[in-house]
Amino acid sequence: MPLQESVMAGIKEIRTKIKSVQNTSKITKAMEMVAASKMRKAQERMRAGRPYADKVREIAAHLMQANPDYTHAYMQESKELKNVGVIVVTTDKGLCGGLNTNVLRLVLNRLRDFKDQNIQVQTTAFGTKGASMLARIGANLVSQEVQLGDEPDLSRLIGAIKVQLDDYLDGKLDAVYIATSLFVNTMRQEPTFIRLLPLPSDLNDPFQSKGDDVKSAQKVNQSEYGWDYIYEPNAKAVIDDLLQRYVEGLIYQAVAENMASEQSARMVAMKSASDNAGKVIDELQLVYNKTRQAAITKEISEIVGGAAAV
């Protein structure tokens, strides 16, 4: 191939690359805007569930103080851990940075720790990424729920966790843990592995910051109730139902936290991709201009050389 044709082919290739990166940038920019819109809605849902859990926790704490002789199975500590359940909350889709990687790495470390201690583990997965990983490593996956969409559906969540909760009530499990991404702010999502059951005696919210937990604990511990509720049918039935709803609410909150984290992480990842695409386009444009200028200079030199020869 002559030199001129080679140079023109190189210019055409660079132009094609620029066009390709520009198209990719348009896609990532659109995904960034969609994620930003979904992020706001996910954060609203996450925060909207907290007052419900706070009120249930307050009433349950009151009832247990008023009825100290009754301890629900969810509050009973096991002497020894032999069998545990782990609920893993991840996303169904990718393109959200290291969100799933960080949670799954934490889960793998904890599963390894349980194995070293000869503790048997059964798992439940919310989200395709977690279900795929657990199946790939050969974990004892007793239930799963995938394709949750953009809004958590409590009825679907309850169906998946019922196996774990029933086994705990039957004494087959000594504890149940849940792994999720805790939403801190738009730029930070913290992988979290917390104990769901047995519940702490003070019923602190595990999804609030440490400072909020301290305030919540002080509020419960400093409360002195001089009155009691009127129960229908009885205190035991009310406590059982309240704690069941409270545990379901915690699982809903864990999924809501992960969904808010997912959209935040995806928005940040797509913004980073768009910014990087802009840098690549600038670099390619500079190379394109230099190559095109070199070709033009070469042509002028050949014309001048030819004219001089004549």
Side-chain angles (χ1 to χ4, degrees), residues 4 17 31 64 122 141 159 167 273 301 308:
Q4 188 66 22
K17 287 183 179 179
M31 293 181 68
M64 287 185 293
Q122 65 181 39
L141 186 62
D167 285 349
S301 299

Side-chain angles (χ1 to χ4, degrees), residues 141-162:
L141 186 62
V142 296
S143 60
Q144 66 179 19
E145 190 67 45
V146 298
Q147 303 302 327
L148 296 174
D150 296 326
E151 184 173 355
D153 185 347
L154 186 57
S155 62
R156 295 179 63 187
L157 303 181
I158 293 174
I161 63 172
K162 191 175 187 305

Side-chain angles (χ1 to χ4, degrees), residues 162-183:
K162 191 175 187 305
V163 178
Q164 301 271 26
L165 297 183
D166 288 349
D167 285 349
Y168 182 84
L169 290 174
D170 293 339
K172 298 178 181 178
L173 296 177
D174 302 310
V176 178
Y177 297 86
I178 187 165
T180 187
S181 295
L182 180 63
F183 178 85

Side-chain angles (χ1 to χ4, degrees), residues 88-146:
V88 181
V89 184
T90 58
T91 69
D92 289 309
K93 302 176 183 178
L95 298 177
C96 50
L99 186 73
N100 291 317
T101 302
N102 294 334
V103 173
L104 295 178
R105 183 184 297 116
L106 178 60
V107 171
L108 287 174
N109 290 336
R110 294 304 174 91
L111 292 180
R112 191 178 300 112
D113 292 341
F114 287 139
K115 183 177 180 181
D116 294 340
Q117 299 172 30
N118 294 322
I119 298 175
Q120 301 298 315
V121 181
Q122 65 181 39
T123 60
T124 293
F126 290 126
T128 304
K129 300 298 182 181
S132 299
M133 187 276 290
L134 293 172
R136 188 166 58 251
I137 65 174
N140 181 17
L141 186 62
V142 296
S143 60
Q144 66 179 19
E145 190 67 45
V146 298

Side-chain angles (χ1 to χ4, degrees), residues 8 57 61 116 119 134 141 149 156 160 249 255 258 272 289:
M8 295 306 295
R57 182 167 56 252
D116 294 340
I119 298 175
L134 293 172
L141 186 62
R156 295 179 63 187
V255 176
N258 187 76
S272 177
N289 292 338

Side-chain angles (χ1 to χ4, degrees), residues 241-307:
D241 190 63
L242 272 177
L243 289 182
Q244 181 69 27
R245 297 293 176 269
Y246 177 58
V247 171
E248 293 172 357
L250 287 179
I251 295 172
Y252 178 91
Q253 188 69 21
V255 176
E257 292 272 351
N258 187 76
M259 288 184 173
S261 299
E262 174 189 1
Q263 300 304 335
S264 299
R266 180 169 292 119
M267 185 192 72
V268 173
M270 292 301 100
K271 185 180 187 308
S272 177
S274 299
D275 293 343
N276 290 336
K279 294 178 181 178
V280 172
I281 291 172
D282 291 341
E283 293 174 357
L284 288 174
Q285 191 68 49
L286 181 61
V287 174
Y288 172 80
N289 292 338
K290 288 182 177 180
T291 306
R292 186 168 177 271
Q293 186 62 45
I296 294 173
T297 303
K298 182 67 176 177
E299 288 181 3
I300 294 174
S301 299
E302 290 177 352
I303 292 172
V304 172

Side-chain angles (χ1 to χ4, degrees), residues 55-96:
K55 193 62 179 179
V56 172
R57 182 167 56 252
E58 179 184 342
I59 296 174
H62 183 176
L63 290 177
M64 287 185 293
Q65 288 185 13
N67 300 270
D69 295 335
Y70 175 65
T71 302
H72 191 273
Y74 286 165
M75 307 288 292
Q76 296 176 358
E77 295 276 353
S78 299
K79 296 181 180 179
E80 184 180 3
L81 286 181
K82 295 183 179 179
N83 300 278
V84 300
V86 176
I87 301 171
V88 181
V89 184
T90 58
T91 69
D92 289 309
K93 302 176 183 178
L95 298 177
C96 50

Side-chain angles (χ1 to χ4, degrees), residues 24-69:
T24 302
S25 179
K26 291 178 182 178
I27 295 173
T28 56
K29 189 64 178 178
M31 293 181 68
E32 176 190 346
M33 297 174 65
V34 171
S37 175
K38 290 183 177 180
M39 179 190 69
R40 286 189 290 270
K41 295 178 181 178
Q43 290 180 18
E44 291 172 0
R45 283 193 295 269
M46 177 190 68
R47 295 189 178 101
R50 287 176 176 173
Y52 170 81
D54 289 341
K55 193 62 179 179
V56 172
R57 182 167 56 252
E58 179 184 342
I59 296 174
H62 183 176
L63 290 177
M64 287 185 293
Q65 288 185 13
N67 300 270
D69 295 335

